Amino acid sequence: MSVVTVQDLTVRYPRRGAFRKVELTAVDAVSFAIEAGRTLGLAGESGSGKSSVARALMRVHDPASGSVQVAGREVTTLRGGALRTFRAHMQMVFQDPYDSLNPRLTAGENVGEALTAAGVPRPDQVSRTRELFERVGLPAAFTGRYPHQLSGGQRQRVSIARALAVGPQVLVCDEAVSALDVSVRAQILNLLKDLQEADGLAYLFISHDMSTLRFIADDVAIMYQGRIVELGTSAEVFARPKHPYTRALLAAIPEPGAGRRHRRGVVRGEAPPVDAVLTGCAFAPRCPLATEICRVERPALVADAAGHRTACHHADAVPAEATAEGSAA
């Protein structure tokens, strides 16, 4: 059963033009679902709309349209106290733990604030905080340290402990390991996997690093210019990528000993500006497979027999070498 169900989610931001107010569409009719105990990896280059999806789910920014259901409850219509209650079901782990923690409070006090919000009596908070620190692999003595006295990986563990304090069903990780060293990154990813297995958490894991998603994600959604262009299980997407943009992301993964001949999937050019009017496929100006239909007609996200969905008019025209490279990766 899906814990998170998103249907036709659209997010717009106001922007003042020269003569009138205009709106920029950051997320354009995005749909996906996340089941309990599974991780949906959301990938794409900067500006593709990944973080806007996360903010809309958390109701940091109200969506322009669409539906977001968490545990069967519609959250786009929640206001006031009902919205504050909902946020206990969905928590967020940010990219920079130093910015997300209060530097004037100790690590234990940062977690204690979440326990207070969850209604845990103050006499019980000390023992509960130590339990949470133990779960994320930190000694109890660290509860008395300030964020600046901790390493980046330790601060991120505190952030995870704070998120767990309210007993969420869903954890949104927005580039949660991109600011960490490679060895520390692996430790945090393993920690997240262990917590998911123990509590049955559903993760929305946002990253631009395909190698990270290959390790952590059960399902992968690829975003480009606010739209999902490919969605499927991690095994399918990495072994048999169908969208040219997905193949470009996979081709950009560094491989030991890989020369130029292994990078044929890399595309040229830049993404269109955020205020560009898109009539067909947003990737058409950079796509080596683009034809006239790609420039005038927006492709629908169509599923194949295995449930692997792709928004591409030429999804079946996958070069043999691209498929082989994806399988090797």
Side-chain angles (χ1 to χ4, degrees):
M1 181 178 178
S2 297
V3 179
V4 178
T5 303
V6 176
Q7 188 67 36
D8 295 329
L9 178 67
T10 299
V11 178
R12 297 190 179 97
Y13 295 110
R15 180 181 179 183
R16 184 175 297 277
F19 302 101
R20 59 186 178 87
K21 291 183 178 180
V22 296
E23 288 187 323
L24 300 179
T25 301
V27 180
D28 190 359
V30 163
S31 301
F32 59 83
I34 312 175
E35 297 179 3
R38 291 183 68 86
T39 299
L40 174 66
L42 194 58
E45 59 192 336
S46 298
S48 60
K50 306 184 300 297
S51 294
S52 293
V53 170
R55 293 189 185 103
L57 259 63
M58 294 294 299
R59 288 292 307 280
V60 175
H61 185 86
D62 290 335
S65 62
S67 170
V68 177
Q69 293 187 358
V70 176
R73 184 173 186 181
E74 180 63 45
V75 301
T76 58
T77 57
L78 296 179
R79 297 290 185 275
L83 178 58
R84 286 192 293 273
T85 302
F86 149 75
R87 287 198 171 116
H89 298 283
M90 179 178 284
Q91 288 293 295
M92 197 163 183
V93 179
F94 297 92
Q95 177 178 357
D96 189 348
Y98 191 76
D99 286 343
S100 61
L101 297 174
N102 188 335
R104 295 180 178 273
L105 301 180
T106 64
E109 290 169 343
N110 271 279
V111 175
E113 283 192 323
L115 292 172
T116 300
V120 177
R122 189 168 294 276
D124 299 333
Q125 289 186 10
V126 173
S127 60
R128 179 63 179 144
T129 299
R130 290 182 176 179
E131 290 175 6
L132 289 167
F133 270 53
E134 183 179 354
R135 288 201 68 190
V136 300
L138 290 176
F142 278 40
T143 57
R145 296 190 181 184
Y146 287 89
H148 72 272
Q149 296 175 309
L150 303 175
S151 67
Q154 291 167 347
R155 285 195 291 264
Q156 197 62 289
R157 290 175 187 268
V158 174
S159 297
I160 295 171
R162 184 179 60 180
L164 295 176
V166 296
Q169 294 174 283
V170 183
L171 209 58
V172 178
C173 302
D174 189 1
E175 301 283 5
V177 297
S178 62
L180 305 178
D181 294 338
V182 175
S183 60
V184 178
R185 185 180 307 177
Q187 295 172 13
I188 297 298
L189 292 175
N190 283 319
L191 170 64
L192 290 171
K193 276 182 167 288
D194 292 341
L195 294 172
Q196 183 179 55
E197 183 177 351
D199 295 350
L201 296 169
Y203 289 160
L204 175 63
F205 198 97
I206 298 171
S207 179
H208 64 275
D209 184 356
M210 297 297 289
S211 297
T212 298
L213 292 186
R214 182 165 53 190
F215 176 79
I216 191 74
D218 299 296
D219 305 286
V220 174
I222 306 298
M223 286 193 71
Y224 186 78
Q225 289 296 105
R227 303 171 182 175
I228 289 182
V229 297
E230 188 160 357
L231 175 61
T233 65
S234 179
E236 277 288 325
V237 171
F238 280 96
R240 285 170 288 277
K242 291 189 173 185
H243 198 281
Y245 180 60
T246 306
R247 297 199 295 270
L249 292 178
L250 293 177
I253 298 176
E255 295 182 39
R260 298 177 64 89
R261 59 188 178 88
H262 293 291
R263 303 179 64 82
R264 283 174 285 189
V266 178
V267 295
R268 306 299 178 188
E270 300 289 337
V274 293
D275 55 353
V277 179
L278 305 175
T279 55
C281 176
F283 192 61
R286 306 171 67 188
C287 181
L289 303 178
T291 59
E292 186 58 29
I293 190 174
C294 302
R295 299 180 180 90
V296 298
E297 182 180 332
R298 175 178 175 175
L301 194 64
V302 179
D304 62 12
H308 187 165
R309 291 189 280 176
T310 313
C312 180
H313 292 298
H314 307 292
D316 295 329
V318 181
E321 64 271 16
T323 304
E325 289 171 10
S327 299

